[in-house]
Amino acid sequence: MSVSGVGGVRVSRLDRDLTGNNRIGNTISTINSSSSHTDVLPSIGAKVEWAPDWQSHVGWGKTVTRPDFASLNPALSLTPPSINRPGYGSAGNPDLKPVESKSFDLTLERYFANNGYASVAYFDRRIDGYVQPFSQVENINGLEYTVTRPQNAGKGKLHGYEVSAQKFLDFLPGVLAGLGVQANYTWISGTTETANTLNGSDFTVTPLTNVARKNANLALIYEKFGFSGRLAFTRRDRYVESLNNGGIQLPPTNVVRARNQVDLSVGYEINPHVSLQFNAWNLSHAAYESYSGYEQFARDIRYDPAVYSLGLRFKL
């Protein structure tokens, strides 16, 4: 058995000045703030080789993710109500803070003698300030709008497992020896403290937004005689997209339905410098469908088309 690893620390500092105007409902406030952040970010990782074909990776570290400009920009965009839809809008949030995360990862991996592998992984994240969309009803110039802004959550946690494998079927005869199978499955559980009011300090434990509990991928792959191909099936379980604070007018969550998608990629290497590539995205015509609180209350449906592309690649 052998063990190797690396450890380190990164120190970063950010000075930030924000000026502008922020509007919530009919209240307009002036923004004029300065802030500084100094972050000490340690990390450590190790590889343990149990045997020639068995190994594990262990890692722990702290990271900081700062909000981008679009998320901080308080500019308010509104769409007035129509005969069949209430008014809605979106804006950034200049009060956003950096997201801090402490991560732990552990794997057990088996590599087959000729080709392929199988692995199982466990991961744990402790997150402070996760950025998630938050919606509330605001009265602006006598009209009601559901306005969505990003805001920091309180303390949260996310953990889960991943199982993955890949194997070429090289025991098959002739051209079939280039066939292979690739698969993975991930189970995730995540919760956080969500403020009941925008940037408030009164929290309720809710699911992490944009985190699907179950995710799976299955692909048939091919690599031989200059040809390469991948026919992939992807399933993403339903997930909470955003949270509402609208009393009886709005259910507490907006949920996106589970989605199944099929994609195809085929390539041929004409010579070491030139290759052809054909891609087909969303052959199954999977749609984006979301609902508010209850499945019968459809919120947003988008019928995504299949997209095809043909390319010629050159490399020196």
Side-chain angles (χ1 to χ4, degrees), residues 85 210 237-244 251 253-259 286-304:
R85 178 168 184 170
N210 299 312
D237 200 10
R238 69 176 185 170
Y239 60 92
V240 174
E241 184 179 42
S242 60
L243 305 168
N244 292 321
T253 58
N254 295 321
V255 181
V256 177
R257 294 179 187 271
R259 177 184 174 115
Y288 168 94
E289 300 180 64
S290 68
Y291 57 89
S292 293
Y294 308 97
E295 292 195 18
Q296 62 267 36
F297 296 157
R299 174 175 174 266
D300 189 1
I301 300 176
R302 308 171 205 165
Y303 295 101
D304 296 329

PDB file of all heavy atoms in Angstrom, residues 85 210 237-244 251 253-259 286-304:
ATOM      1  N   ARG A  85     -52.085  36.528 -17.074  1.00  0.00           N
ATOM      2  CA  ARG A  85     -50.902  36.308 -16.243  1.00  0.00           C
ATOM      3  C   ARG A  85     -50.645  37.534 -15.385  1.00  0.00           C
ATOM      4  O   ARG A  85     -50.685  38.667 -15.877  1.00  0.00           O
ATOM      5  CB  ARG A  85     -49.690  36.018 -17.114  1.00  0.00           C
ATOM      6  CG  ARG A  85     -48.417  35.831 -16.307  1.00  0.00           C
ATOM      7  CD  ARG A  85     -47.275  35.263 -17.097  1.00  0.00           C
ATOM      8  NE  ARG A  85     -46.128  35.030 -16.221  1.00  0.00           N
ATOM      9  CZ  ARG A  85     -45.049  34.370 -16.576  1.00  0.00           C
ATOM     10  NH1 ARG A  85     -44.969  33.857 -17.779  1.00  0.00           N
ATOM     11  NH2 ARG A  85     -44.043  34.202 -15.743  1.00  0.00           N
ATOM     12  N   ASN A 210     -32.293  24.058  -7.160  1.00  0.00           N
ATOM     13  CA  ASN A 210     -31.530  23.573  -8.328  1.00  0.00           C
ATOM     14  C   ASN A 210     -30.719  22.317  -8.031  1.00  0.00           C
ATOM     15  O   ASN A 210     -29.747  22.023  -8.738  1.00  0.00           O
ATOM     16  CB  ASN A 210     -30.623  24.668  -8.882  1.00  0.00           C
ATOM     17  CG  ASN A 210     -31.386  25.883  -9.350  1.00  0.00           C
ATOM     18  OD1 ASN A 210     -32.362  25.756 -10.076  1.00  0.00           O
ATOM     19  ND2 ASN A 210     -30.978  27.063  -8.911  1.00  0.00           N
ATOM     20  N   ASP A 237     -33.849  14.108 -11.958  1.00  0.00           N
ATOM     21  CA  ASP A 237     -35.063  14.055 -11.157  1.00  0.00           C
ATOM     22  C   ASP A 237     -35.617  15.464 -10.948  1.00  0.00           C
ATOM     23  O   ASP A 237     -34.944  16.471 -11.222  1.00  0.00           O
ATOM     24  CB  ASP A 237     -34.739  13.412  -9.807  1.00  0.00           C
ATOM     25  CG  ASP A 237     -35.973  12.865  -9.105  1.00  0.00           C
ATOM     26  OD1 ASP A 237     -37.034  12.808  -9.740  1.00  0.00           O
ATOM     27  OD2 ASP A 237     -35.869  12.492  -7.919  1.00  0.00           O
ATOM     28  N   ARG A 238     -36.843  15.548 -10.467  1.00  0.00           N
ATOM     29  CA  ARG A 238     -37.439  16.860 -10.224  1.00  0.00           C
ATOM     30  C   ARG A 238     -36.642  17.595  -9.150  1.00  0.00           C
ATOM     31  O   ARG A 238     -35.979  16.985  -8.301  1.00  0.00           O
ATOM     32  CB  ARG A 238     -38.895  16.708  -9.790  1.00  0.00           C
ATOM     33  CG  ARG A 238     -39.087  16.091  -8.427  1.00  0.00           C
ATOM     34  CD  ARG A 238     -40.543  16.081  -8.042  1.00  0.00           C
ATOM     35  NE  ARG A 238     -40.716  15.603  -6.675  1.00  0.00           N
ATOM     36  CZ  ARG A 238     -41.852  15.662  -5.999  1.00  0.00           C
ATOM     37  NH1 ARG A 238     -42.941  16.143  -6.575  1.00  0.00           N
ATOM     38  NH2 ARG A 238     -41.921  15.217  -4.760  1.00  0.00           N
ATOM     39  N   TYR A 239     -36.715  18.934  -9.160  1.00  0.00           N
ATOM     40  CA  TYR A 239     -35.985  19.743  -8.192  1.00  0.00           C
ATOM     41  C   TYR A 239     -36.708  21.064  -7.967  1.00  0.00           C
ATOM     42  O   TYR A 239     -37.484  21.523  -8.813  1.00  0.00           O
ATOM     43  CB  TYR A 239     -34.547  19.998  -8.663  1.00  0.00           C
ATOM     44  CG  TYR A 239     -34.434  20.732  -9.985  1.00  0.00           C
ATOM     45  CD1 TYR A 239     -34.339  22.123 -10.028  1.00  0.00           C
ATOM     46  CD2 TYR A 239     -34.423  20.041 -11.188  1.00  0.00           C
ATOM     47  CE1 TYR A 239     -34.236  22.798 -11.234  1.00  0.00           C
ATOM     48  CE2 TYR A 239     -34.322  20.697 -12.400  1.00  0.00           C
ATOM     49  CZ  TYR A 239     -34.228  22.079 -12.416  1.00  0.00           C
ATOM     50  OH  TYR A 239     -34.134  22.743 -13.615  1.00  0.00           O
ATOM     51  N   VAL A 240     -36.459  21.663  -6.821  1.00  0.00           N
ATOM     52  CA  VAL A 240     -37.024  22.972  -6.500  1.00  0.00           C
ATOM     53  C   VAL A 240     -36.199  24.040  -7.214  1.00  0.00           C
ATOM     54  O   VAL A 240     -34.976  24.120  -7.042  1.00  0.00           O
ATOM     55  CB  VAL A 240     -37.008  23.214  -4.978  1.00  0.00           C
ATOM     56  CG1 VAL A 240     -37.452  24.642  -4.661  1.00  0.00           C
ATOM     57  CG2 VAL A 240     -37.916  22.217  -4.273  1.00  0.00           C
ATOM     58  N   GLU A 241     -36.880  24.850  -8.021  1.00  0.00           N
ATOM     59  CA  GLU A 241     -36.183  25.884  -8.787  1.00  0.00           C
ATOM     60  C   GLU A 241     -36.102  27.200  -8.030  1.00  0.00           C
ATOM     61  O   GLU A 241     -35.083  27.893  -8.064  1.00  0.00           O
ATOM     62  CB  GLU A 241     -36.901  26.102 -10.123  1.00  0.00           C
ATOM     63  CG  GLU A 241     -36.198  27.096 -11.028  1.00  0.00           C
ATOM     64  CD  GLU A 241     -36.919  27.263 -12.334  1.00  0.00           C
ATOM     65  OE1 GLU A 241     -38.166  27.340 -12.337  1.00  0.00           O
ATOM     66  OE2 GLU A 241     -36.244  27.329 -13.388  1.00  0.00           O
ATOM     67  N   SER A 242     -37.180  27.594  -7.337  1.00  0.00           N
ATOM     68  CA  SER A 242     -37.170  28.843  -6.580  1.00  0.00           C
ATOM     69  C   SER A 242     -38.198  28.773  -5.470  1.00  0.00           C
ATOM     70  O   SER A 242     -39.077  27.907  -5.455  1.00  0.00           O
ATOM     71  CB  SER A 242     -37.454  30.046  -7.504  1.00  0.00           C
ATOM     72  OG  SER A 242     -38.724  29.923  -8.120  1.00  0.00           O
ATOM     73  N   LEU A 243     -38.060  29.703  -4.533  1.00  0.00           N
ATOM     74  CA  LEU A 243     -38.923  29.753  -3.356  1.00  0.00           C
ATOM     75  C   LEU A 243     -39.763  31.021  -3.405  1.00  0.00           C
ATOM     76  O   LEU A 243     -39.313  32.061  -3.904  1.00  0.00           O
ATOM     77  CB  LEU A 243     -38.080  29.734  -2.081  1.00  0.00           C
ATOM     78  CG  LEU A 243     -37.106  28.564  -1.968  1.00  0.00           C
ATOM     79  CD1 LEU A 243     -36.123  28.811  -0.833  1.00  0.00           C
ATOM     80  CD2 LEU A 243     -37.860  27.263  -1.738  1.00  0.00           C
ATOM     81  N   ASN A 244     -40.976  30.946  -2.884  1.00  0.00           N
ATOM     82  CA  ASN A 244     -41.900  32.082  -2.906  1.00  0.00           C
ATOM     83  C   ASN A 244     -42.198  32.561  -1.493  1.00  0.00           C
ATOM     84  O   ASN A 244     -42.188  31.798  -0.542  1.00  0.00           O
ATOM     85  CB  ASN A 244     -43.221  31.688  -3.575  1.00  0.00           C
ATOM     86  CG  ASN A 244     -43.049  31.413  -5.055  1.00  0.00           C
ATOM     87  OD1 ASN A 244     -42.299  32.097  -5.731  1.00  0.00           O
ATOM     88  ND2 ASN A 244     -43.726  30.395  -5.551  1.00  0.00           N
ATOM     89  N   PRO A 251     -47.819  29.332  -3.822  1.00  0.00           N
ATOM     90  CA  PRO A 251     -47.306  28.160  -3.104  1.00  0.00           C
ATOM     91  C   PRO A 251     -45.852  28.405  -2.703  1.00  0.00           C
ATOM     92  O   PRO A 251     -45.174  29.257  -3.285  1.00  0.00           O
ATOM     93  CB  PRO A 251     -47.426  27.035  -4.141  1.00  0.00           C
ATOM     94  CG  PRO A 251     -48.404  27.537  -5.151  1.00  0.00           C
ATOM     95  CD  PRO A 251     -48.226  29.021  -5.188  1.00  0.00           C
ATOM     96  N   THR A 253     -43.077  26.751  -3.109  1.00  0.00           N
ATOM     97  CA  THR A 253     -41.985  26.340  -3.988  1.00  0.00           C
ATOM     98  C   THR A 253     -42.432  26.289  -5.442  1.00  0.00           C
ATOM     99  O   THR A 253     -43.589  26.011  -5.750  1.00  0.00           O
ATOM    100  CB  THR A 253     -41.449  24.949  -3.601  1.00  0.00           C
ATOM    101  OG1 THR A 253     -42.525  23.999  -3.661  1.00  0.00           O
ATOM    102  CG2 THR A 253     -40.870  24.946  -2.192  1.00  0.00           C
ATOM    103  N   ASN A 254     -41.483  26.565  -6.328  1.00  0.00           N
ATOM    104  CA  ASN A 254     -41.648  26.313  -7.760  1.00  0.00           C
ATOM    105  C   ASN A 254     -40.766  25.123  -8.113  1.00  0.00           C
ATOM    106  O   ASN A 254     -39.563  25.134  -7.829  1.00  0.00           O
ATOM    107  CB  ASN A 254     -41.239  27.533  -8.589  1.00  0.00           C
ATOM    108  CG  ASN A 254     -42.161  28.721  -8.336  1.00  0.00           C
ATOM    109  OD1 ASN A 254     -43.369  28.552  -8.188  1.00  0.00           O
ATOM    110  ND2 ASN A 254     -41.603  29.912  -8.276  1.00  0.00           N
ATOM    111  N   VAL A 255     -41.355  24.093  -8.710  1.00  0.00           N
ATOM    112  CA  VAL A 255     -40.678  22.814  -8.918  1.00  0.00           C
ATOM    113  C   VAL A 255     -40.581  22.511 -10.406  1.00  0.00           C
ATOM    114  O   VAL A 255     -41.529  22.754 -11.162  1.00  0.00           O
ATOM    115  CB  VAL A 255     -41.438  21.671  -8.196  1.00  0.00           C
ATOM    116  CG1 VAL A 255     -40.721  20.338  -8.383  1.00  0.00           C
ATOM    117  CG2 VAL A 255     -41.600  21.992  -6.714  1.00  0.00           C
ATOM    118  N   VAL A 256     -39.442  21.982 -10.835  1.00  0.00           N
ATOM    119  CA  VAL A 256     -39.242  21.551 -12.218  1.00  0.00           C
ATOM    120  C   VAL A 256     -39.398  20.036 -12.270  1.00  0.00           C
ATOM    121  O   VAL A 256     -38.809  19.307 -11.465  1.00  0.00           O
ATOM    122  CB  VAL A 256     -37.858  21.965 -12.741  1.00  0.00           C
ATOM    123  CG1 VAL A 256     -37.635  21.439 -14.161  1.00  0.00           C
ATOM    124  CG2 VAL A 256     -37.715  23.479 -12.718  1.00  0.00           C
ATOM    125  N   ARG A 257     -40.191  19.554 -13.225  1.00  0.00           N
ATOM    126  CA  ARG A 257     -40.438  18.120 -13.356  1.00  0.00           C
ATOM    127  C   ARG A 257     -39.172  17.369 -13.788  1.00  0.00           C
ATOM    128  O   ARG A 257     -38.238  17.957 -14.334  1.00  0.00           O
ATOM    129  CB  ARG A 257     -41.533  17.864 -14.410  1.00  0.00           C
ATOM    130  CG  ARG A 257     -42.908  18.376 -14.033  1.00  0.00           C
ATOM    131  CD  ARG A 257     -43.876  18.069 -15.172  1.00  0.00           C
ATOM    132  NE  ARG A 257     -45.192  18.666 -14.970  1.00  0.00           N
ATOM    133  CZ  ARG A 257     -46.190  18.063 -14.320  1.00  0.00           C
ATOM    134  NH1 ARG A 257     -46.008  16.842 -13.845  1.00  0.00           N
ATOM    135  NH2 ARG A 257     -47.345  18.665 -14.166  1.00  0.00           N
ATOM    136  N   ALA A 258     -39.178  16.072 -13.543  1.00  0.00           N
ATOM    137  CA  ALA A 258     -38.081  15.219 -14.009  1.00  0.00           C
ATOM    138  C   ALA A 258     -37.974  15.287 -15.531  1.00  0.00           C
ATOM    139  O   ALA A 258     -38.979  15.481 -16.234  1.00  0.00           O
ATOM    140  CB  ALA A 258     -38.308  13.786 -13.564  1.00  0.00           C
ATOM    141  N   ARG A 259     -36.766  15.138 -16.045  1.00  0.00           N
ATOM    142  CA  ARG A 259     -36.507  15.281 -17.482  1.00  0.00           C
ATOM    143  C   ARG A 259     -35.639  14.132 -17.964  1.00  0.00           C
ATOM    144  O   ARG A 259     -34.618  13.811 -17.340  1.00  0.00           O
ATOM    145  CB  ARG A 259     -35.827  16.629 -17.760  1.00  0.00           C
ATOM    146  CG  ARG A 259     -35.439  16.874 -19.218  1.00  0.00           C
ATOM    147  CD  ARG A 259     -34.694  18.184 -19.336  1.00  0.00           C
ATOM    148  NE  ARG A 259     -34.180  18.411 -20.684  1.00  0.00           N
ATOM    149  CZ  ARG A 259     -34.578  19.389 -21.494  1.00  0.00           C
ATOM    150  NH1 ARG A 259     -35.526  20.227 -21.081  1.00  0.00           N
ATOM    151  NH2 ARG A 259     -34.049  19.545 -22.692  1.00  0.00           N
ATOM    152  N   ALA A 286     -37.181  16.325 -25.167  1.00  0.00           N
ATOM    153  CA  ALA A 286     -37.512  16.546 -23.756  1.00  0.00           C
ATOM    154  C   ALA A 286     -37.869  18.006 -23.531  1.00  0.00           C
ATOM    155  O   ALA A 286     -37.239  18.915 -24.089  1.00  0.00           O
ATOM    156  CB  ALA A 286     -36.326  16.153 -22.877  1.00  0.00           C
ATOM    157  N   ALA A 287     -38.877  18.248 -22.716  1.00  0.00           N
ATOM    158  CA  ALA A 287     -39.359  19.601 -22.462  1.00  0.00           C
ATOM    159  C   ALA A 287     -39.032  20.022 -21.032  1.00  0.00           C
ATOM    160  O   ALA A 287     -38.896  19.193 -20.136  1.00  0.00           O
ATOM    161  CB  ALA A 287     -40.865  19.680 -22.687  1.00  0.00           C
ATOM    162  N   TYR A 288     -38.891  21.333 -20.857  1.00  0.00           N
ATOM    163  CA  TYR A 288     -38.768  21.913 -19.522  1.00  0.00           C
ATOM    164  C   TYR A 288     -40.176  22.213 -19.024  1.00  0.00           C
ATOM    165  O   TYR A 288     -40.933  22.948 -19.671  1.00  0.00           O
ATOM    166  CB  TYR A 288     -37.941  23.196 -19.587  1.00  0.00           C
ATOM    167  CG  TYR A 288     -37.995  24.036 -18.333  1.00  0.00           C
ATOM    168  CD1 TYR A 288     -37.038  23.909 -17.334  1.00  0.00           C
ATOM    169  CD2 TYR A 288     -39.012  24.970 -18.148  1.00  0.00           C
ATOM    170  CE1 TYR A 288     -37.086  24.679 -16.194  1.00  0.00           C
ATOM    171  CE2 TYR A 288     -39.076  25.747 -17.004  1.00  0.00           C
ATOM    172  CZ  TYR A 288     -38.107  25.602 -16.034  1.00  0.00           C
ATOM    173  OH  TYR A 288     -38.170  26.363 -14.904  1.00  0.00           O
ATOM    174  N   GLU A 289     -40.550  21.628 -17.881  1.00  0.00           N
ATOM    175  CA  GLU A 289     -41.888  21.834 -17.328  1.00  0.00           C
ATOM    176  C   GLU A 289     -41.773  22.114 -15.841  1.00  0.00           C
ATOM    177  O   GLU A 289     -41.201  21.327 -15.097  1.00  0.00           O
ATOM    178  CB  GLU A 289     -42.768  20.601 -17.540  1.00  0.00           C
ATOM    179  CG  GLU A 289     -42.971  20.213 -18.995  1.00  0.00           C
ATOM    180  CD  GLU A 289     -43.846  18.977 -19.135  1.00  0.00           C
ATOM    181  OE1 GLU A 289     -45.022  19.034 -18.758  1.00  0.00           O
ATOM    182  OE2 GLU A 289     -43.333  17.946 -19.606  1.00  0.00           O
ATOM    183  N   SER A 290     -42.331  23.239 -15.419  1.00  0.00           N
ATOM    184  CA  SER A 290     -42.317  23.569 -13.991  1.00  0.00           C
ATOM    185  C   SER A 290     -43.731  23.855 -13.514  1.00  0.00           C
ATOM    186  O   SER A 290     -44.624  24.179 -14.304  1.00  0.00           O
ATOM    187  CB  SER A 290     -41.416  24.780 -13.727  1.00  0.00           C
ATOM    188  OG  SER A 290     -41.964  25.955 -14.280  1.00  0.00           O
ATOM    189  N   TYR A 291     -43.927  23.728 -12.213  1.00  0.00           N
ATOM    190  CA  TYR A 291     -45.241  23.989 -11.622  1.00  0.00           C
ATOM    191  C   TYR A 291     -45.055  24.656 -10.265  1.00  0.00           C
ATOM    192  O   TYR A 291     -43.981  24.597  -9.650  1.00  0.00           O
ATOM    193  CB  TYR A 291     -46.058  22.699 -11.490  1.00  0.00           C
ATOM    194  CG  TYR A 291     -45.416  21.605 -10.687  1.00  0.00           C
ATOM    195  CD1 TYR A 291     -45.597  21.500  -9.312  1.00  0.00           C
ATOM    196  CD2 TYR A 291     -44.616  20.634 -11.304  1.00  0.00           C
ATOM    197  CE1 TYR A 291     -45.012  20.483  -8.564  1.00  0.00           C
ATOM    198  CE2 TYR A 291     -44.025  19.619 -10.568  1.00  0.00           C
ATOM    199  CZ  TYR A 291     -44.231  19.550  -9.204  1.00  0.00           C
ATOM    200  OH  TYR A 291     -43.640  18.548  -8.474  1.00  0.00           O
ATOM    201  N   SER A 292     -46.102  25.320  -9.804  1.00  0.00           N
ATOM    202  CA  SER A 292     -46.074  26.021  -8.527  1.00  0.00           C
ATOM    203  C   SER A 292     -46.780  25.187  -7.462  1.00  0.00           C
ATOM    204  O   SER A 292     -48.004  25.055  -7.487  1.00  0.00           O
ATOM    205  CB  SER A 292     -46.756  27.390  -8.647  1.00  0.00           C
ATOM    206  OG  SER A 292     -46.024  28.251  -9.491  1.00  0.00           O
ATOM    207  N   GLY A 293     -45.997  24.617  -6.575  1.00  0.00           N
ATOM    208  CA  GLY A 293     -46.557  23.902  -5.441  1.00  0.00           C
ATOM    209  C   GLY A 293     -47.171  22.558  -5.760  1.00  0.00           C
ATOM    210  O   GLY A 293     -46.766  21.537  -5.212  1.00  0.00           O
ATOM    211  N   TYR A 294     -48.161  22.538  -6.645  1.00  0.00           N
ATOM    212  CA  TYR A 294     -48.892  21.318  -6.971  1.00  0.00           C
ATOM    213  C   TYR A 294     -48.803  21.064  -8.471  1.00  0.00           C
ATOM    214  O   TYR A 294     -48.832  22.004  -9.275  1.00  0.00           O
ATOM    215  CB  TYR A 294     -50.351  21.452  -6.533  1.00  0.00           C
ATOM    216  CG  TYR A 294     -50.499  21.865  -5.091  1.00  0.00           C
ATOM    217  CD1 TYR A 294     -50.708  23.195  -4.755  1.00  0.00           C
ATOM    218  CD2 TYR A 294     -50.409  20.921  -4.072  1.00  0.00           C
ATOM    219  CE1 TYR A 294     -50.831  23.590  -3.427  1.00  0.00           C
ATOM    220  CE2 TYR A 294     -50.533  21.306  -2.740  1.00  0.00           C
ATOM    221  CZ  TYR A 294     -50.746  22.645  -2.427  1.00  0.00           C
ATOM    222  OH  TYR A 294     -50.861  23.026  -1.115  1.00  0.00           O
ATOM    223  N   GLU A 295     -48.708  19.795  -8.863  1.00  0.00           N
ATOM    224  CA  GLU A 295     -48.444  19.454 -10.254  1.00  0.00           C
ATOM    225  C   GLU A 295     -49.512  19.976 -11.203  1.00  0.00           C
ATOM    226  O   GLU A 295     -49.250  20.220 -12.371  1.00  0.00           O
ATOM    227  CB  GLU A 295     -48.297  17.935 -10.408  1.00  0.00           C
ATOM    228  CG  GLU A 295     -47.045  17.388  -9.739  1.00  0.00           C
ATOM    229  CD  GLU A 295     -46.710  15.983 -10.186  1.00  0.00           C
ATOM    230  OE1 GLU A 295     -47.229  15.565 -11.236  1.00  0.00           O
ATOM    231  OE2 GLU A 295     -45.932  15.298  -9.513  1.00  0.00           O
ATOM    232  N   GLN A 296     -50.747  20.141 -10.717  1.00  0.00           N
ATOM    233  CA  GLN A 296     -51.805  20.611 -11.612  1.00  0.00           C
ATOM    234  C   GLN A 296     -51.708  22.116 -11.887  1.00  0.00           C
ATOM    235  O   GLN A 296     -52.416  22.640 -12.751  1.00  0.00           O
ATOM    236  CB  GLN A 296     -53.188  20.268 -11.058  1.00  0.00           C
ATOM    237  CG  GLN A 296     -53.528  20.892  -9.719  1.00  0.00           C
ATOM    238  CD  GLN A 296     -53.194  19.991  -8.555  1.00  0.00           C
ATOM    239  OE1 GLN A 296     -52.189  19.275  -8.605  1.00  0.00           O
ATOM    240  NE2 GLN A 296     -54.013  20.032  -7.508  1.00  0.00           N
ATOM    241  N   PHE A 297     -50.819  22.830 -11.152  1.00  0.00           N
ATOM    242  CA  PHE A 297     -50.666  24.268 -11.358  1.00  0.00           C
ATOM    243  C   PHE A 297     -49.432  24.520 -12.224  1.00  0.00           C
ATOM    244  O   PHE A 297     -48.363  24.883 -11.738  1.00  0.00           O
ATOM    245  CB  PHE A 297     -50.533  25.001 -10.018  1.00  0.00           C
ATOM    246  CG  PHE A 297     -51.761  24.912  -9.154  1.00  0.00           C
ATOM    247  CD1 PHE A 297     -51.673  25.083  -7.783  1.00  0.00           C
ATOM    248  CD2 PHE A 297     -53.002  24.669  -9.702  1.00  0.00           C
ATOM    249  CE1 PHE A 297     -52.798  25.008  -6.968  1.00  0.00           C
ATOM    250  CE2 PHE A 297     -54.144  24.585  -8.908  1.00  0.00           C
ATOM    251  CZ  PHE A 297     -54.037  24.754  -7.541  1.00  0.00           C
ATOM    252  N   ALA A 298     -49.579  24.302 -13.524  1.00  0.00           N
ATOM    253  CA  ALA A 298     -48.455  24.497 -14.453  1.00  0.00           C
ATOM    254  C   ALA A 298     -47.980  25.945 -14.407  1.00  0.00           C
ATOM    255  O   ALA A 298     -48.769  26.882 -14.353  1.00  0.00           O
ATOM    256  CB  ALA A 298     -48.878  24.125 -15.863  1.00  0.00           C
ATOM    257  N   ARG A 299     -46.653  26.123 -14.423  1.00  0.00           N
ATOM    258  CA  ARG A 299     -46.072  27.468 -14.299  1.00  0.00           C
ATOM    259  C   ARG A 299     -45.342  27.895 -15.572  1.00  0.00           C
ATOM    260  O   ARG A 299     -45.501  28.997 -16.053  1.00  0.00           O
ATOM    261  CB  ARG A 299     -45.118  27.489 -13.103  1.00  0.00           C
ATOM    262  CG  ARG A 299     -44.322  28.762 -12.927  1.00  0.00           C
ATOM    263  CD  ARG A 299     -43.510  28.712 -11.638  1.00  0.00           C
ATOM    264  NE  ARG A 299     -42.642  29.866 -11.514  1.00  0.00           N
ATOM    265  CZ  ARG A 299     -41.373  29.886 -11.903  1.00  0.00           C
ATOM    266  NH1 ARG A 299     -40.839  28.795 -12.440  1.00  0.00           N
ATOM    267  NH2 ARG A 299     -40.642  30.966 -11.759  1.00  0.00           N
ATOM    268  N   ASP A 300     -44.530  27.008 -16.100  1.00  0.00           N
ATOM    269  CA  ASP A 300     -43.708  27.360 -17.261  1.00  0.00           C
ATOM    270  C   ASP A 300     -43.416  26.077 -18.036  1.00  0.00           C
ATOM    271  O   ASP A 300     -42.891  25.117 -17.476  1.00  0.00           O
ATOM    272  CB  ASP A 300     -42.404  28.011 -16.792  1.00  0.00           C
ATOM    273  CG  ASP A 300     -41.609  28.607 -17.940  1.00  0.00           C
ATOM    274  OD1 ASP A 300     -42.072  28.529 -19.087  1.00  0.00           O
ATOM    275  OD2 ASP A 300     -40.514  29.151 -17.676  1.00  0.00           O
ATOM    276  N   ILE A 301     -43.765  26.058 -19.307  1.00  0.00           N
ATOM    277  CA  ILE A 301     -43.506  24.900 -20.172  1.00  0.00           C
ATOM    278  C   ILE A 301     -42.757  25.384 -21.409  1.00  0.00           C
ATOM    279  O   ILE A 301     -43.208  26.300 -22.087  1.00  0.00           O
ATOM    280  CB  ILE A 301     -44.813  24.189 -20.586  1.00  0.00           C
ATOM    281  CG1 ILE A 301     -45.562  23.698 -19.338  1.00  0.00           C
ATOM    282  CG2 ILE A 301     -44.517  23.017 -21.514  1.00  0.00           C
ATOM    283  CD1 ILE A 301     -46.901  23.072 -19.643  1.00  0.00           C
ATOM    284  N   ARG A 302     -41.618  24.757 -21.704  1.00  0.00           N
ATOM    285  CA  ARG A 302     -40.823  25.120 -22.883  1.00  0.00           C
ATOM    286  C   ARG A 302     -40.512  23.843 -23.651  1.00  0.00           C
ATOM    287  O   ARG A 302     -39.897  22.921 -23.114  1.00  0.00           O
ATOM    288  CB  ARG A 302     -39.518  25.802 -22.481  1.00  0.00           C
ATOM    289  CG  ARG A 302     -39.701  26.978 -21.535  1.00  0.00           C
ATOM    290  CD  ARG A 302     -38.364  27.461 -21.008  1.00  0.00           C
ATOM    291  NE  ARG A 302     -38.516  28.134 -19.727  1.00  0.00           N
ATOM    292  CZ  ARG A 302     -37.499  28.389 -18.916  1.00  0.00           C
ATOM    293  NH1 ARG A 302     -36.273  28.011 -19.251  1.00  0.00           N
ATOM    294  NH2 ARG A 302     -37.701  29.001 -17.761  1.00  0.00           N
ATOM    295  N   TYR A 303     -40.935  23.802 -24.889  1.00  0.00           N
ATOM    296  CA  TYR A 303     -40.719  22.622 -25.712  1.00  0.00           C
ATOM    297  C   TYR A 303     -39.407  22.792 -26.477  1.00  0.00           C
ATOM    298  O   TYR A 303     -39.335  23.499 -27.481  1.00  0.00           O
ATOM    299  CB  TYR A 303     -41.893  22.419 -26.674  1.00  0.00           C
ATOM    300  CG  TYR A 303     -43.187  22.118 -25.954  1.00  0.00           C
ATOM    301  CD1 TYR A 303     -44.149  23.115 -25.758  1.00  0.00           C
ATOM    302  CD2 TYR A 303     -43.446  20.860 -25.424  1.00  0.00           C
ATOM    303  CE1 TYR A 303     -45.326  22.855 -25.080  1.00  0.00           C
ATOM    304  CE2 TYR A 303     -44.622  20.587 -24.745  1.00  0.00           C
ATOM    305  CZ  TYR A 303     -45.556  21.589 -24.580  1.00  0.00           C
ATOM    306  OH  TYR A 303     -46.716  21.328 -23.904  1.00  0.00           O
ATOM    307  N   ASP A 304     -38.363  22.150 -25.969  1.00  0.00           N
ATOM    308  CA  ASP A 304     -37.039  22.286 -26.577  1.00  0.00           C
ATOM    309  C   ASP A 304     -36.946  21.416 -27.833  1.00  0.00           C
ATOM    310  O   ASP A 304     -37.263  20.221 -27.796  1.00  0.00           O
ATOM    311  CB  ASP A 304     -35.957  21.870 -25.587  1.00  0.00           C
ATOM    312  CG  ASP A 304     -35.926  22.776 -24.370  1.00  0.00           C
ATOM    313  OD1 ASP A 304     -36.249  23.959 -24.523  1.00  0.00           O
ATOM    314  OD2 ASP A 304     -35.577  22.295 -23.273  1.00  0.00           O
TER     315      ASP A 304
END
